[in-house]
Amino acid sequence: MKDQAEKLRNIMKNKPNKNNIKLSQDRAQVLAITSGKGGVGKTSFSVNLAISLKRLGYKVLILDADIGLANIEILTGINMKYTIEDLIKSDKNIYDIIEEGPEGIKLISGGSGIHQLSMMDDKNINKLLEEMENLEREMDYIIIDTGAGISNIVLDFVMISDETILITTSDPTSLMDAYTMIKALTTNGYKGKINIVINIVENRREAENIFNKLSKVSQNFLNVNLNYLGYLQRDVLVNKAVKIQQPFLILNPSSNISKKINVMALKLINPVKYNEKKENLGFVQRLKALLFGRDR
């Protein structure tokens, strides 16, 4: 696929304890939260997962890579003053464009600057990489909230992540789009783990049936194994949280949906059933590959 995603890819891990001390390797774990279509709760999941990881003692940053939409701002009630575009085009540094979100999670808005990555000159590329490298050394988790769909820019960011969390629902179009995303990742040689979260379901049985169907077709036709991260039931708390711009994990931490988010966070930091050796390239190294692989 000769697009900017392939270009960003073709150039050029680490658990802290609850006191935020790095125990190994000097780079953040990068999680891409994505979906085949919009309206499946991707951004809400990203924000609440980040808060859950923060409560476990990890330093967490969300990069809002959904171009043109301000969903992170809407869900958190935080006004993002600057974006990556200000980092690229002005004298702002990475810390100038970071906003502090709920319970101390960090937020960066990609804005239109995300779309300009493939058009940057060498000076701007080097500045971006240097700033992101500083950030990568400080954070434990960088969560990329991608746009919905399967555009080139969405694939760019998913392809350079350590793990993907693919959000889907029971809706047939959502499932088809989720499969299409899995196929696109597989076709392009994605090496990370693909985690599946089934959202807006009635109960555990429904969620497991949906996952089993998606897993079976992925194994049979793509020869790829999916990891079942968990499910979230339909809950009026989610709509209430959106209306008052407060993450549901804060609004009602003892709710069933909040507990399920916490369980998924624990699975991510302790993947006892996933022992494959991870590629030891950091986010910035893979970002270099994507940026410098451009045609000159």
Side-chain angles (χ1 to χ4, degrees):
M1 185 173 66
K2 302 292 184 182
D3 54 28
Q4 66 181 28
E6 183 180 12
K7 295 171 183 175
L8 194 48
R9 287 194 296 275
N10 289 334
I11 321 189
M12 296 205 231
K13 223 171 173 260
N14 28 296
K15 289 182 185 174
N17 63 15
K18 62 183 179 181
N19 294 316
N20 291 324
I21 300 172
K22 292 282 189 181
L23 299 183
S24 63
Q25 295 181 341
D26 248 349
R27 74 172 187 83
Q29 181 84 348
V30 181
L31 306 174
I33 316 295
T34 193
S35 62
K37 69 187 293 289
V40 300
K42 173 179 57 62
T43 301
S44 175
F45 181 87
S46 298
V47 171
N48 285 283
L49 177 67
I51 292 171
S52 185
L53 289 169
K54 183 67 171 61
R55 288 178 176 179
L56 289 169
Y58 293 83
K59 297 177 181 178
V60 187
L61 177 136
I62 300 177
L63 171 60
D64 184 357
D66 198 346
I67 302 169
L69 297 177
N71 289 337
I72 292 287
E73 296 181 53
I74 293 170
L75 291 175
T76 61
I78 304 296
N79 181 31
M80 305 292 287
K81 187 176 180 181
Y82 300 113
T83 72
I84 281 182
E85 185 174 9
D86 295 292
L87 176 70
I88 296 170
K89 293 186 174 181
S90 69
D91 60 352
K92 303 297 181 186
N93 62 43
I94 197 71
Y95 304 102
D96 292 329
I97 69 170
I98 292 176
E99 293 287 344
E100 182 154 324
E103 300 203 7
I105 63 172
K106 306 301 182 183
L107 307 172
I108 290 180
S109 172
S112 59
I114 292 290
H115 194 62
Q116 298 171 10
L117 289 179
S118 65
M119 299 179 284
M120 291 192 299
D121 59 27
D122 288 348
K123 180 180 178 181
N124 285 332
I125 288 174
N126 289 331
K127 178 182 179 182
L128 174 64
L129 293 174
E130 183 178 323
E131 297 286 354
M132 291 301 293
E133 203 160 26
N134 291 334
L135 193 61
E136 187 181 29
R137 285 194 294 264
E138 291 190 21
M139 293 295 117
D140 300 312
Y141 285 94
I142 296 175
I143 294 175
I144 304 175
D145 181 32
T146 76
I150 314 174
S151 65
N152 290 342
I153 194 66
V154 169
L155 282 175
D156 284 354
F157 281 103
V158 178
M159 289 296 295
I160 59 176
S161 66
D162 294 301
E163 295 188 30
T164 297
I165 300 177
L166 179 58
I167 313 292
T168 187
T169 69
S170 61
D171 181 81
T173 59
S174 177
L175 283 169
M176 179 58 70
D177 289 338
Y179 175 76
T180 303
M181 171 62 82
I182 296 167
K183 183 177 181 180
L185 292 176
T186 304
T187 301
N188 285 279
Y190 182 66
K191 302 299 183 185
K193 180 164 58 166
I194 301 176
N195 301 282
I196 304 297
V197 171
I198 314 295
N199 197 15
I200 320 176
V201 292
E202 300 302 327
N203 51 52
R204 182 178 65 184
R205 179 177 295 181
E206 181 186 10
E208 290 178 347
N209 286 340
I210 292 168
F211 173 76
N212 289 336
K213 290 177 183 177
L214 186 60
S215 178
K216 184 176 181 179
V217 73
S218 297
Q219 288 176 334
N220 290 344
F221 295 100
L222 303 176
N223 194 29
V224 60
N225 292 318
L226 306 178
N227 180 61
Y228 183 48
L229 190 61
Y231 74 98
L232 297 174
Q233 288 175 260
R234 189 185 306 276
D235 196 319
V236 295
L237 179 64
V238 177
N239 291 333
K240 182 178 180 181
V242 172
K243 287 179 181 178
I244 65 174
Q245 295 184 293
Q246 187 176 54
F248 61 73
L249 201 62
I250 295 175
L251 185 60
N252 189 347
S254 62
S255 66
N256 285 333
I257 194 170
S258 295
K259 290 175 181 177
K260 285 182 170 59
I261 284 282
N262 291 334
V263 168
M264 285 187 262
L266 288 170
K267 285 182 179 180
L268 286 169
I269 67 173
N270 186 28
V272 292
K273 294 183 180 180
Y274 185 73
N275 298 315
E276 292 183 22
K277 184 177 181 181
K278 295 178 181 177
E279 185 180 7
N280 199 30
L281 293 177
F283 174 61
V284 174
Q285 289 175 293
R286 281 171 276 177
L287 191 60
K288 286 180 181 178
L290 181 58
L291 291 170
F292 289 114
R294 302 177 308 177
D295 295 329
R296 293 294 184 177

